[in-house]
Amino acid sequence: MSTSQSNIWKAGTIVPLAIFLLFILVPVWGHVTDHNFYVAYFARILIYAIAVVALNLALGFGGLVSLGHALFMGLGAYSVALPAFYGIDNGWVHLFFCLASCAVAGLITGAISLRTSGIGFIMITLAFAQMGYFLFVSLKQYGGDDGTSISHTSQFFGLDLGGVYEVYIVSLVLLMLATWWTARLRVSPFGMVLRGARQNTRRVRAVGFPANHYLLASYVLSAMLCGVAGMLLANLNAFASPSTLSWIISGDLVVMLVLGGIGTVFGPILGALAFLGLEEILKMFTDHWLAVFGLVIVFIGLLGKAGIAGFLDSFSRRKAGAAPGGAKQAKGAKA
């Protein structure tokens, strides 16, 4: 069996592909059984998975530990809510405001935050997100702390994202494209520079690459993709609230990425599904689900930095090594 064929049958690839198949079947099952709740629930998982893919670009590839990505989700949500407040339901207008506001905010906050590193970077990104939170809380004409309902959801050529199935399908397609793009980016020259800068910024600069420019570009791209996730979430809920910009959302995104696997291709999907899935399951059994949930997160965190994706890959390697002739194949591959 060739190397490419064996890679296809690794657990780290089969499980995510099976999850994507599950995502494809969810709206079919929901239509047949008329259970729209689960379609909306999985749509929420897809949207958060897109946001975690965005965070992975900054944190997983560039090593930029951001606690401010909720700012971009909030900007995306209000890019729908504010125009809708004035009766504008053109989705392209919503998308333009989303991408433009997130690009500008990402450029400004990223340029300032990158002047620091480590805990300084974390605190500055958190501070910017909190500034955005209190800004939207102060907008009393748009609901202030209570948020605002969205009566005019995004319309794209007659496609109304206010429908559960419509926003689900769009979210699924975008997640697939974002995952494919991440896989391509990871092995591209741009991605290699980012991963090199994560390991040692000085060495990257020494070979002639402006590391900070690459990191800033990744941060801005991450902000824009995260904003699109916020835009989809606003359409799904038909509601936008300053709580979307809270530090808790930023923390949840980081936890999802750590659970799934930092810097991996399928980690964001695995992490979002594990986080939101466990949350829903534990709520069914106990009112004290947060205590159990915390222990589960600690246990998964002990698996290592690669998270669930890394665990699946290591499982595949152990299985391949235990197979007859596995050791000989491994020696031949090394040779």
Side-chain angles (χ1 to χ4, degrees), residues 50-80:
I50 294 172
V52 181
V53 169
L55 179 62
N56 192 34
L57 179 60
L59 173 55
F61 294 167
L64 303 175
V65 184
S66 170
L67 271 182
H69 264 56
L71 169 65
F72 309 121
M73 284 198 74
L75 288 175
Y78 276 94
S79 294
V80 179

Side-chain angles (χ1 to χ4, degrees), residues 63-201:
L64 303 175
V65 184
S66 170
L67 271 182
H69 264 56
L71 169 65
F72 309 121
M73 284 198 74
L75 288 175
Y78 276 94
S79 294
V80 179
L82 297 186
F85 184 82
Y86 296 101
I88 300 173
D89 62 356
N90 190 315
W92 298 108
V93 173
H94 298 172
L95 183 62
F96 171 77
F97 279 116
C98 171
L99 296 178
S101 61
C102 289
V104 172
L107 183 63
I108 294 174
T109 60
I112 296 174
S113 301
L114 281 170
R115 297 176 67 88
T116 65
S117 61
I119 191 66
F121 184 91
I122 297 172
M123 297 308 296
I124 290 178
T125 55
L126 174 61
F128 278 123
Q130 289 301 103
M131 288 168 60
Y133 170 80
F134 287 112
L135 171 64
F136 283 103
V137 166
S138 67
L139 299 178
K140 301 300 182 183
Q141 65 271 35
Y142 303 115
D145 193 27
D146 295 327
T148 178
S149 59
I150 299 173
S151 56
H152 297 82
T153 50
S154 303
Q155 304 275 344
F156 292 93
F157 299 122
L159 177 67
D160 185 4
L161 289 188
V164 174
Y165 287 90
E166 287 80 359
V167 74
Y168 184 97
I169 293 171
V170 170
S171 300
L172 178 57
V173 171
L174 285 178
L175 179 59
M176 288 180 171
L177 291 174
T179 304
W180 172 81
W181 178 62
T182 300
R184 299 282 294 176
L185 182 70
R186 192 172 187 269
V187 296
S188 69
F190 179 77
M192 297 296 286
V193 173
L194 285 179
R195 293 162 65 189
R198 181 190 63 190
Q199 298 295 330
N200 195 316
T201 307

Side-chain angles (χ1 to χ4, degrees), residues 124-294:
I124 290 178
T125 55
L126 174 61
F128 278 123
Q130 289 301 103
M131 288 168 60
Y133 170 80
F134 287 112
L135 171 64
F136 283 103
V137 166
S138 67
L139 299 178
K140 301 300 182 183
Q141 65 271 35
Y142 303 115
D145 193 27
D146 295 327
T148 178
S149 59
I150 299 173
S151 56
H152 297 82
T153 50
S154 303
Q155 304 275 344
F156 292 93
F157 299 122
L159 177 67
D160 185 4
L161 289 188
V164 174
Y165 287 90
E166 287 80 359
V167 74
Y168 184 97
I169 293 171
V170 170
S171 300
L172 178 57
V173 171
L174 285 178
L175 179 59
M176 288 180 171
L177 291 174
T179 304
W180 172 81
W181 178 62
T182 300
R184 299 282 294 176
L185 182 70
R186 192 172 187 269
V187 296
S188 69
F190 179 77
M192 297 296 286
V193 173
L194 285 179
R195 293 162 65 189
R198 181 190 63 190
Q199 298 295 330
N200 195 316
T201 307
R202 290 184 179 179
R203 288 186 179 180
V204 172
R205 293 196 188 104
V207 296
F209 290 102
N212 274 16
H213 293 174
Y214 280 82
L215 291 173
L216 180 58
S218 71
Y219 192 81
V220 173
L221 290 172
S222 175
M224 294 169 71
L225 183 57
C226 199
V228 173
M231 178 179 168
L232 291 170
L233 186 63
N235 278 285
L236 177 66
N237 297 331
F239 187 78
S241 170
S243 62
T244 309
L245 293 93
S246 71
W247 65 270
I248 297 176
I249 299 298
S250 295
D252 286 347
L253 295 180
V254 173
V255 172
M256 289 179 197
L257 183 57
V258 172
L259 287 178
I262 299 175
T264 61
V265 174
F266 294 114
I269 298 111
L270 297 170
L273 181 61
F275 186 94
L276 297 174
L278 280 172
E279 178 182 340
E280 192 67 22
I281 292 171
L282 291 174
K283 284 180 179 178
M284 296 169 58
F285 293 99
T286 175
D287 293 333
H288 306 288
W289 63 272
L290 278 172
V292 181
F293 191 54

